[in-house]
Amino acid sequence: MRTIHFADANGRDSHVSFVTVRAPAPPLRVAAGKLVAMRRFVVAGEDNTHEALAVGHGSDYGKALIEGDPEVDLELVGRPITTTSMVYLDGDGEVLRFAPEIFEAIYGPDGAEKERRPPQDKPPNIDEEIPLRFTKNRLKRAAAVRRFAFLRSIQLWHTDGLTYDFLHGLAKSLDEADELVLLGGGESGRDPIVFQTNGLPWRGFLEGRVDGVKYQLLLRLSNLELKKSDA
Amino acid sequence: MRYVILDAAESREELYLIRKAHMPKGIVVTHNSKVSSFQIEKVERAKIYGVRRRLAVDQKGRTCARAALTDDGQVLLRAGMTAQGWFDTDGRQVDQKDIAAEDENGKPLELIPSTLGVEQRLEGPIAATEVLDLSLTAVYRIAPEQLDESLSKSLADGQFWRFPFNYRPDYRSETGYLVQNADGIFALVGVPAPAEFLEPQAPPPLGDDDDANDLDFEMM
C-alpha cells in the first residue's frame, strides 16, 4: 500500500495511505454464453502490409489484389499476440542493434517541434522527506469544477486514531469552507505532484467531506484546464 | 466526395445546408421543454499545452520507429500488422455482432443507443460535489447552435446540469454535465464514481495497483 507525505497549513505533517477512486467496472462481454475479452492479433505479415505490397507489386498492385489475396498470410493472420518485446527500427526500417540516442522533443499546440534536448527524469515527490504542502491557492468547489477537468481522484485513508483525527479535521474544515486547497511539492512547495519516476505531473487539490464521524478526504488531480485551444 | 458536393453548391445558403447535413451529430438537450443543441469538439491537452515526447534517434540522426517482437522471436510486428478483436475463453475470435453484455449477476443488458443528435432531458441544477465525483472519460467544448435563454442564463450564473450521454451505442450509459466559464460551455462526460465515507474503524484499503497507469506515456 502506498503512502503520501503531506502537511497542512500549520505545518503538521503525516504519512497516510491512499487508494485510487475507481469507476465501476464496465459490464462483462459475452458471446454464446462465454466471456469474451479484447485482444491484439496479427492481421498481416511483414510482406503483406500495404507499404510492402505497394513496393513489391509496383503498378500491378491493384491487379494483384483483384486476382489474389497477396495481403493475407495464412500462417500468421489471426494469431493472437500475447507478450512482446519492444524494439526500435532505424530509418531504413531495420531492427536497431545498438541502443539509440534518446532526446526529449517539445511540440507546441500546433504540433510543430519547438525544442529538442537531452531527456530529464522526473522523480516522484509524494512520499519524500519534504511533504506536499498546502499552498495559499484555495478555490470554491463550484469554481474548481468550472476551471479544471479532474481526471483522477485519490482518497486519503487513515491508519490509526491519530491519522483519523488529522484527516477528519482537515476534511471538516475544507467541507465547511466549501473549498479545495492546492497542494504543492518540492522545496518551493509549488511543484506539481508526481506519483512515480517519469509519471504524469498533476495539480492536486484537496477536497473534504464529512458525515458525522465519517469523512472523505480526496485529492482531485488535474492536468487539463477547461479552456479553448489556440491551435 | 464531400468536397465535390461542396463545390457543387450554388449559393451560400445551399452551402450552409450541405455543411450542416454533413456535420457530425451533436448534443441536443431540453430544459423546461425548450431545446438547445451544440456541436462538440473534444478538449485535448496536447492542443492546449503542446506535448513532450521522447524520441529515439539512430546513428544517422533519423527518428526510430517502434515495433514489437513476439516472445519466440519469430515475428516482428510493425505498424499496420496488428488489430484488436474479441476472443472467447477458448481463444476463438468472435464477431462484434455476436457479442452481448451482462451485469455482475449474469443478467443480460440492453444496448443503449448513442445520444448524439437525440434530445436528452437536463436534470438540475446539480451540486458541484456531484460533478467532482465524476470519473471523467472525455471533455468536450461545445458550441451552441441553438441555446434556450433560461439555460443560457443558468449556465452563465454558474449552475451545472446533468444529462445522459453516449458517444456511441454501448451497454453502459455515461453521464454528461454542462459547465460554463469565460472560455465557453463544456460537457464533462464520464461515469459517476463517488468515494466511500470512512469511519474511524474503517479497515485498511485494499492494495492499489494503479501505479502502472500513471506513467507519462508521452515520455515513453
Side-chain angles (χ1 to χ4, degrees):
Chain A
M1 189 189 315
R2 297 194 69 193
T3 57
I4 191 167
H5 183 202
F6 79 104
D8 68 8
N10 300 314
R12 280 192 311 165
D13 67 311
S14 181
H15 294 261
V16 297
S17 304
F18 69 86
V19 290
T20 302
V21 180
R22 296 177 189 283
L28 299 169
R29 302 300 167 109
V30 290
K34 288 180 182 166
L35 284 177
V36 295
M38 189 73 93
R39 286 170 67 178
R40 235 164 29 111
F41 67 99
V42 180
V43 288
E46 248 190 288
D47 300 327
N48 313 91
T49 60
H50 167 70
E51 289 74 17
L53 291 170
V55 170
H57 290 278
S59 57
D60 294 331
Y61 184 17
K63 191 176 167 200
L65 284 175
I66 292 166
E67 291 178 351
D69 298 313
E71 76 279 21
V72 179
D73 181 334
L74 291 173
E75 281 191 24
L76 269 181
V77 167
R79 175 177 161 171
I81 300 165
T82 49
T83 49
T84 57
S85 305
M86 200 264 278
V87 292
Y88 283 113
L89 306 178
D90 66 17
D92 297 321
E94 298 299 319
V95 175
L96 208 61
R97 306 289 174 190
F98 304 96
E101 198 170 354
I102 304 291
F103 289 100
E104 196 168 275
I106 313 293
Y107 299 89
D110 57 357
E113 188 176 321
K114 303 276 183 201
E115 186 190 347
R116 196 174 276 210
R117 65 191 184 198
Q120 296 163 347
D121 283 336
K122 290 178 296 181
N125 62 3
I126 57 160
D127 199 15
E128 303 301 306
E129 192 178 336
I130 301 173
L132 301 175
R133 281 170 280 171
F134 277 35
T135 66
K136 288 178 180 167
N137 291 20
R138 285 173 173 260
L139 280 172
K140 290 289 180 192
R141 282 186 179 112
V145 167
R146 283 194 294 273
R147 190 161 161 198
F148 297 101
F150 293 103
L151 300 167
R152 195 177 155 198
S153 295
I154 66 168
Q155 181 167 26
L156 306 191
W157 205 292
H158 63 275
T159 47
D160 52 32
L162 286 176
T163 49
Y164 166 80
D165 286 344
F166 181 51
L167 300 186
H168 185 279
L170 284 175
K172 188 164 186 279
S173 68
L174 289 168
D175 196 17
E176 286 171 354
D178 185 29
E179 284 179 338
L180 283 79
V181 61
L182 176 68
L183 294 189
E187 301 248 350
S188 67
R190 289 196 294 268
D191 293 349
I193 298 171
V194 178
F195 284 80
Q196 64 182 91
T197 302
N198 289 334
L200 289 165
W202 297 99
R203 291 293 170 192
F205 293 84
L206 207 54
E207 188 213 352
R209 302 178 193 180
V210 291
D211 178 11
V213 296
K214 295 188 283 188
Y215 77 99
Q216 294 175 344
L217 193 59
L218 301 155
L219 191 56
R220 305 292 192 183
L221 302 171
S222 177
N223 62 7
L224 181 66
E225 291 165 280
L226 298 181
K227 60 194 286 190
K228 60 184 162 198
S229 107
D230 296 325
Chain B
M1 179 67 181
R2 185 177 165 193
Y3 298 106
V4 173
I5 294 170
L6 292 179
D7 287 345
E10 288 182 354
S11 66
R12 287 175 67 89
E13 203 170 77
E14 191 182 352
L15 188 64
Y16 169 77
L17 290 173
I18 291 171
R19 279 205 167 124
K20 194 170 177 188
H22 284 79
M23 271 184 185
K25 289 175 181 171
I27 292 171
V28 184
V29 291
T30 58
H31 174 248
N32 296 335
S33 305
K34 289 180 182 161
V35 177
S36 298
S37 61
F38 306 86
Q39 280 299 314
I40 65 175
E41 179 197 3
K42 200 165 188 178
V43 177
E44 292 174 72
R45 184 176 154 71
K47 285 185 183 168
I48 295 176
Y49 307 107
V51 73
R52 187 169 42 160
R53 286 210 176 89
R54 285 202 173 172
L55 300 177
V57 174
D58 70 13
Q59 286 174 315
K60 293 180 182 171
R62 299 170 299 183
T63 302
C64 299
R66 279 186 293 172
L69 190 64
T70 54
D71 265 8
D72 58 9
Q74 296 295 305
V75 185
L76 179 67
L77 299 166
R78 299 170 187 266
M81 286 176 59
T82 66
Q84 285 203 313
W86 292 99
F87 287 81
D88 68 15
T89 44
D90 296 331
R92 274 193 288 265
Q93 194 166 5
V94 179
D95 253 13
Q96 175 79 38
K97 65 177 172 49
D98 296 329
I99 293 173
E102 58 186 36
D103 67 14
E104 62 274 19
N105 301 315
K107 188 180 158 200
L109 297 173
E110 292 286 321
L111 189 65
I112 301 165
S114 167
T115 59
L116 293 182
V118 182
E119 280 181 24
Q120 305 295 320
R121 195 167 66 84
L122 287 178
E123 294 177 306
I126 298 298
T129 47
E130 183 181 320
V131 189
L132 284 166
D133 282 341
L134 189 70
S135 176
L136 271 175
T137 53
V139 180
Y140 299 96
R141 185 163 178 271
I142 58 176
E145 293 178 318
Q146 178 187 346
L147 182 55
D148 164 47
E149 202 174 309
S150 64
L151 176 61
S152 173
K153 182 175 182 315
S154 168
L155 290 170
D157 288 345
Q159 293 184 320
F160 312 122
W161 294 86
R162 183 204 308 126
F163 62 102
F165 182 93
N166 259 20
Y167 191 90
R168 55 177 65 88
D170 197 1
Y171 291 97
R172 172 165 78 173
S173 175
E174 293 194 312
T175 302
Y177 293 91
L178 294 184
V179 170
Q180 183 173 335
N181 66 20
D183 271 34
I185 305 174
F186 296 84
L188 309 179
V189 173
V191 179
E196 62 175 305
F197 274 90
L198 302 182
E199 297 182 333
Q201 295 79 25
L206 296 171
D208 195 350
D209 58 355
D210 199 47
D211 286 0
N213 295 334
D214 191 49
L215 273 178
D216 187 348
F217 285 98
E218 290 166 10
M219 301 294 290
M220 300 290 281

